[in-house]
Amino acid sequence: MTDLAGMLDSVIGPLAAALLTLMVLSYLIGDNPLFRIAAYLFIGVASGYAGALVIRSVLWPGLIDPVLQAGASGLLDPALITQVLLPGILVVLLLFKLSPGIGRLGSLSLVLLLGVAAAVVVGGAISGTLLPQTAATVQTLNPAAVAPRTGETGIERLTNAVIVLSGTLLTLASFRFTQRKPRGQVSGPSMGPWQRGVRQVAGLFIAITFGVMFGGALLAAVVVLAQRVQFLWSTVLGLVSQVLG
Amino acid sequence: MKRVSTVLLAIAAGTAGMIVLLSYFLDLPYLSEASQWLKQTAVLLGAAALLVGLLNLVGVHLGKIGGQEKGWAYSALLVVMLAVTFTLGILFGIDNRSVAALFRYVQLPVESTLIALLAVSLTAAGYRLIARRAGVFNSIFMISAILFILGSIPWLILPGLAEPFGILRTWLAEVWAVGGARGLLLGVALGSITAGLRVLLAADRPYGD
Amino acid sequence: MPGDVPEWLAAIRAENPPAAEPPAASTDWLSQLREADGSAQQGPPAGEPPTWVQAGETGAANGEQVPDWLARVRGRQAEDSETGEPPLGVPNLAAPPPARRDESDSRPLPPLELPGLEETDSGVFYPPESPKAGQPVPGAEPPGLTDSGVFRLKTGINISADKEAPMPSWLGQLEAEAGAPPAVPTGLPSVPALVRAEDLSGPQLPGEDFSAEALSLPEWLGQLGSEAAVVEPAEGRPDLAPATLPAWLEAMRPVDAFRSSVEIGPEEEQAVEAAGPLAGLRGVLLAEPVVAIPRMASAAPALLEVNERQYAQAELMHRLVEEEQREVSPAAPRRRHVPVVRWLVAAVLLAAAALPTVLGVPTFPLPSTVPLELDPLVSLVAAAPANRPVLVVFEFEPGNAAELQAVAEPMLEQMMQQGLAIAALSTRSTGALMADQQLSTLGGNYGYSNGQGYVNLGYLPGGSVGVQLWSQDPLAVPTSGFALPSAPDGTQLQSPWQVPMLAGVDEVADFGMVAVVSSSAEAARTWVEQAGPWMGATPLVLVMTTGADPVVRPYYEAQNPQVDGMLSSLPTALSYSMRLGRPGASFSLWNAFGLSAWAAVVFMILGWIPAFGVWINQQRKLRGAQR
C-alpha cells in the first residue's frame, strides 16, 4: 500500500498530471478530443469534490449531526427548532427547485437567500467602499497632507493628487445608470456636448486603468505558463531518473 | 393565487433584507438576533444551492447520455469522475489521500494549464488590437499595458533602462490607475447598492414570479 | 277532312309568314317530317289511314288479338263518331298523357310574373286579372282537340283537362282511369308556348301517313293556334304577359350577379330559329351563332376587379412559387480559419519559457529596486504579536496557484520564521486543499505541521454573508476544518477550534493579522467590506495577483487606509524573498518569467508594424482621392 502510495506520488500522479497538461496545451493547435477529455475530467472531479465538501463540511455538521446528537427527545428544544429544524425545512424546500413541477415550493428559500445576500452587499458597499472611498477622495484635496505610502509632498504630491482626483471624478461621472434625452429630442445622441467631453477625458483614465490591469493579467498568466513548462520538464526528468534508476 | 404568492414572496425578500441591512447601522437586540438567524440560514441555503446546482449538472449530462446526443461520451466521463470523487469524498472525507490525489494530479494541472493558455490568448489579442484597430483609446490602452510590463520585468539588454521604466510603471499603477480604479470602485459600489435595493424593494425579482 | 289544314293554322300562316327559311341542310325533325311527305303541305297527309291502322282494324274485325290500348282508342273513335266529335286517330307516338296530378297533390301555384310580359294572343299565360283558366277567351276556341288533332292549350301549368272543353275521348278515358280529373286551378302562372300554332303541322314521321284525327297533341298546343287566330295583339304591347315571381322563389334567386333583366320582345320581332331541333320557332335561344358556332369569349368576363390586398396576395404567391423553382446555389465551402497568429505566439512563448528551464539561459538580473509597499509589509509582519495566531485566507483557484503561491511564499516564510501560528481559511471549495498543500510544504522547513504551527479551518460557506457572519462570530458558521490533527491524547478532534493554538480567539479581531491571498478583486473587496469593520486594530494585508492590483490599491492608497499592507507581482515577491535570504519559487521562475514576458511584449509591439502599414495605405488612398 505504501509502495502504491509512493508510486502514485512519484510516478503515476506526475505522469497523469503531465499528460493532462499536454492534452490541455494541445488546444493551442485547435479544439480536439484530447482537450475535451481533459476538460470534462476536470469538471467531473471539481464538481464531485465540491458536492462532497458541501455535504461533509456544511450540511452534515449544520443540520444532520445536531439532530442526531439531540435525539428524539431533543427535537422539541426551541434552540434546535430555530437553529436547525427551521433552516433544515427551508433547505429541503430549496431542493424542490430541481423539479419544474414543484419548484415553486422552493421559492421562499430562494427569496430569503437573495434578500439577505442583497442586503449584505448593499451594507458592505455603503460602509466598506462608498463612505471610506469618498472620504479618501475628499482628503486628497488637503494640500498639507502627505502621501501616505510614497511620502511625497509639495508640487509632486499635489500633481499626483490632482491626477487621482480628476481620474476619480471623471471616471465616476462617466457612469450613467439612467440618462434622459433632452426635452423635445426624439432621436440622436442622449448626451450634451459637455457630457461627451467628460466621457472623452474619462476614457483616458479608464484606458490607462484597464491597460495596467491587462498588463498585470498577462504577467500573471506568463508566470503560470512558465511554471507549467517547468513542471513538464521536471516530470520528464523525474521519469527519466526513475527509469534509469 | 399566483399573484398573491408573488406579493408574499416579494414581501418576504424585502423584510429579510431590511432586517439585515438595518442591523448594519442600528444596534438593537432583537434586530441583531433576527439578522443573525437570517444570515446563518442564508449560509446553509447557499450551500444547499450549490448542491442543487451540482445535481442539475448531473441531470443535464445524464440526459445527454440517455438521449445519446452528440458528445455523450464526454458527459459519461464527467458523470463517472463526479461519482467517483463524490463517493470517495463522502466515504473517506474530503481530506482523504485519494481525494487529494485526484485534486493534485487532475484538477490542479488542468486548471493551471487553462490559465497558462491565457498568456497566449492575451498576447495574441494585444497584437490584433494594435494591428487591426489602432485607434486613440486602443493605443493608450496598449501603451499603458506595455509600459507596465516593461516596468515589471527584468532587462537583459540595456539594464539601465529598468529603473526609469520601473518609476514610470509605479507612476502609472499608483497614480493614474488608482484615480481611475477609485472611480470604478465608487461606480461599482453605487451600482451594487442600486441593484441590491431594487431586489429588496421587489423592483427586481431574480427569484422569479 | 283528314289532311286538310285547319282554319286556325291557315289563318296564322297568313298573318305571320315564316321569317326565316330553313337551312338547306336542316336536320330538324319537323323538316324531315315535311320532306317525308314530299310536299310543303302542312298538316297531316291526306289519304287513307296507314295500312297498319287499317290492318289493325281488320285484324280486330277478323277477331285477331289487338292491344288493349288500341281497342280503347277504337272504341273511343266509335263513340266520337257517334257523338259527332272528330275521330281520334291512332296515335303514332305513345304520346305521354299530359302531366296530371292528383287532386290531393296539386297545389295552386302562385301567379308567375314576368316583367315586361303581357298576354299573348297565342300563349298560355294569362295575367291573374285575365280571364281565368278554364274560361273561354273571348273569341278563342275552347281548349281541346281541334280538327287537326292539336290540342288547344288550356290555361295553367297544371295541364288538366277542362271538363267544359271538349277533349279527346282517349284523354278523357285516361282521366277517368286516373280518377276525377282535378279541377283546373285558378290563377296558375302560364308559360309561353314553345311552339307557335302556325308553325305546328302535327307530328309527322317519314314514311308514315297520319291523319289529323289520328294525332293526339296536348291541348296547350291546340290552344296556341286558337288564341293566335282570334286574339289580335295590341299595338305596342309585348306578346308575353308579365309574370310575377313569388316571394319565396324570388328569395331563392341568385344574387344580382346572375339576376338578369330579361326582356322578351314582341313575338314578331323575335328571330326565327334556323338550326337545330327548334328550327322555325320564334322566341327561342338561337343555336347559331351563339351556341353551335364556337367563338372567342368576349373580353368582358376576363376583366376581374382586383383590390390591393388580393394583388398583394397574388404577388406573394407568385414569389413563393418562384422561390420554390429557384435553385439554391450550393453553399460555398467553409474556409478553414488557420490561427497563424495564435500558433506563432504559442510557439514563441513556449520556447521562451522552456529555454531558461531546459538550458538555463538566459539569466536575468535580479530586481534592484524595491517596491514602495514592501517595506511596510515586512514591518507589519514583523510587528505581528507572537501570542496571537495569524489568519491567512486562501482566496484563489488552483489555476492561479502557481503565481499566488510564489508571491505569498515569502510572507508565509517570514511568519514561520517568526514562529507565528497560522490559521488557514477559505471561501473557495478548493481553498482548504491549496492551503494544506502550501503550508505543509513550507512548514516542513520550519517544523510546522498540522495542529502544530498551523491549523486549517477549512471551508467557509456563504460567500460575503459567510464572511460577515464569521467576522462577527467565528463560531456561528459551521466549519469542520480540514485534515484535523489528533488531540494530544490521540483522540480525533471534531472541530478546528479545539486546537490549542486557537484558544482565546472569539472573533476576527483576536487574530494578530489577517492576510487575504486573492486572485480576484471581488474576493479582496468582500473581505475589506465585510470583515474590515470587525477587525478593529488588526491589520489587514492583501496579497494580490498582478492583474487585480490596481482595483484594490485605492483601499491601500488612502489617508485612512482600509488595507494596511499590499503584496503583488513576482518581482516584489522575489525582492521579498531576497530580503529574507530564502530564494523560493519566485526565484526559480524568474528567468522563464522574464524571457516569456519579453516575448509577449515584443510580439505586441510588432503589432504596430501592420498598423503602420494600414495607416500608410489609408493615407495613399486619401491622397489619391484628393487628386
Side-chain angles (χ1 to χ4, degrees), chain C residues 234-505:
Chain C
E235 288 188 359
R237 260 197 321 169
D239 295 333
L240 295 175
T244 310
L245 277 180
W248 59 269
L249 194 59
E250 185 74 28
M252 284 169 60
R253 286 181 74 168
V255 193
D256 292 343
F258 298 102
R259 180 183 286 267
S260 58
S261 59
V262 178
E263 273 194 20
I264 302 178
E267 210 171 291
E268 58 275 11
E269 295 173 6
Q270 295 175 8
V272 177
E273 176 56 61
L278 301 179
L281 299 178
R282 284 186 192 274
V284 299
L285 294 174
L286 299 178
E288 294 178 353
V290 177
V291 175
I293 298 176
R295 63 174 186 180
M296 291 289 290
S298 62
L303 293 175
L304 298 175
E305 288 182 8
V306 181
N307 59 28
E308 282 187 18
R309 187 163 178 242
Q310 289 169 339
Y311 186 77
Q313 287 174 347
E315 273 294 313
L316 179 64
M317 183 63 70
H318 179 66
R319 209 178 309 130
L320 286 172
V321 171
E322 267 190 353
E323 282 177 5
E324 282 288 329
Q325 293 171 350
R326 197 181 302 134
E327 280 188 13
V328 178
S329 57
R334 208 173 158 182
R335 244 178 92 188
R336 202 178 162 191
H337 171 68
V338 179
V340 174
V341 173
R342 189 172 70 188
W343 289 352
L344 210 57
V345 171
V348 167
L349 285 183
L350 286 171
L355 205 62
T357 305
V358 174
L359 301 178
V361 290
T363 306
F364 285 90
L366 295 176
S368 55
T369 56
V370 176
L372 291 171
E373 63 263 20
L374 183 58
D375 287 334
L377 177 62
V378 173
S379 306
L380 206 62
V381 174
N387 59 345
R388 287 157 66 180
V390 173
L391 178 67
V392 180
V393 184
F394 290 80
E395 295 281 65
F396 56 90
E397 301 293 333
N400 301 99
E403 186 207 7
L404 284 168
Q405 281 179 345
V407 171
E409 189 184 47
M411 183 189 70
L412 292 171
E413 283 200 304
Q414 184 184 0
M415 290 174 182
M416 289 178 180
Q417 279 180 357
Q418 289 174 214
L420 296 173
I422 299 172
L425 184 66
S426 177
T427 62
R428 308 293 170 108
S429 59
T430 54
L433 272 165
M434 306 298 302
D436 184 70
Q437 190 178 359
Q438 184 160 25
L439 289 174
S440 60
T441 306
L442 284 177
N445 300 326
Y446 300 94
Y448 275 54
S449 63
N450 195 0
Q452 297 290 330
Y454 73 88
V455 64
N456 200 332
L457 297 174
Y459 171 63
L460 177 61
S464 55
V465 179
V467 170
Q468 209 256 353
L469 197 61
W470 191 88
S471 304
Q472 277 183 277
D473 183 6
L475 296 173
V477 183
T479 51
S480 58
F482 186 87
L484 287 177
S486 304
D489 56 359
T491 55
Q492 187 68 28
L493 292 175
Q494 300 300 320
S495 168
W497 296 103
Q498 294 173 324
V499 175
M501 73 171 70
L502 291 179
V505 176

Side-chain angles (χ1 to χ4, degrees), chain B residues 66-81:
Chain B
Q68 300 277 295
E69 293 175 21
K70 188 181 175 185
W72 70 268
Y74 300 118
S75 297
L77 183 65
L78 184 150
V79 171
V80 165
M81 290 309 296

Side-chain angles (χ1 to χ4, degrees), chain B residues 154-157, chain C residues 355-356 359-366 587 590-592 594-595:
Chain B
W155 284 63
L156 192 62
I157 302 169
Chain C
L355 205 62
L359 301 178
V361 290
T363 306
F364 285 90
L366 295 176
F587 183 77
W590 182 242
N591 292 328
L595 193 59

